[in-house]
Amino acid sequence: MGIIAKVLSVVGIDVKADRGSNDNVTAQHFSSPGDDSLALPGDYCALSGATGTGRQTAVGYRDGKNEGLAAPGEKRIYARDADGTKVGSMWLKSDKTVVIENGLGVINMLPTGDVLINGVRIPKDGSDVILATGKSIMLHNHPQGNDSSGSVEEDTGDTIP
């Protein structure tokens, strides 16, 4: 039988948790191989019995501050600061979209394979890159002063240098 407890602290693999009414226990942290994530104070953990009298293992956690956004079948991971505020995430969506963000920028890999970085679209086939303003990088002109030929704009050509 398991129990839900509130995380008080985590040091190494030791999770100190309150099972209610200040009934504190130190449990050993367990997670999936390759998952290097630890809980924060205020999170909730699922405790399960372990070999040895009074021993417990912490086998799962729930963020007590941030609501989940992933739909069934999706995977979303995020980092939090010491206060529990989300500071970066990666979201693998069920429509084949991948979203990576950190509060300063967003990268979206679309189901088509094209990539959007802060509104700049980069097609997977290497064709024209379109800026957030709608301008093409390959086929547009740059203003310049009059030159000896009387030209006032310089053609960027049709290939990316």
Side-chain angles (χ1 to χ4, degrees):
M1 180 173 106
I3 191 165
I4 303 298
K6 192 166 192 173
V7 174
L8 300 172
S9 65
V10 180
V11 178
I13 62 168
D14 290 333
V15 179
K16 185 175 180 183
D18 181 358
R19 295 183 286 196
S21 301
N22 291 318
D23 178 19
N24 297 344
V25 63
T26 299
Q28 204 171 23
H29 164 79
F30 278 86
S31 62
S32 301
D35 182 350
D36 185 13
S37 305
L38 297 175
L40 286 174
D43 288 346
Y44 294 92
C45 64
L47 298 174
S48 181
T51 304
T53 304
R55 293 187 47 105
Q56 298 275 295
T57 56
V59 295
Y61 301 92
R62 180 82 181 159
D63 182 343
K65 180 177 180 179
N66 299 290
E67 194 171 323
L69 300 175
E74 296 183 343
K75 177 76 171 181
R76 182 169 171 264
I77 58 174
Y78 56 89
R80 301 173 288 162
D81 64 15
D83 294 326
T85 302
K86 288 183 276 185
V87 296
S89 68
M90 183 170 64
W91 190 349
L92 309 173
K93 295 187 171 190
S94 59
D95 69 353
K96 300 181 186 175
T97 300
V98 176
V99 181
I100 302 170
E101 61 184 316
N102 70 355
L104 299 174
V106 179
I107 298 172
N108 284 281
M109 178 178 278
L110 304 176
T112 61
D114 293 356
V115 177
L116 287 175
I117 302 176
N118 292 336
V120 176
R121 186 182 196 104
I122 303 170
K124 75 172 186 169
D125 64 6
S127 60
D128 196 12
V129 174
I130 305 298
L131 301 177
T133 60
K135 284 189 175 183
S136 156
I137 284 193
M138 289 185 191
L139 302 173
H140 67 278
N141 294 324
H142 285 268
Q144 69 179 32
N146 284 333
D147 59 19
S148 60
S149 68
S151 174
V152 290
E153 290 188 344
E154 186 175 318
D155 192 343
T156 62
D158 60 356
T159 60
I160 297 176

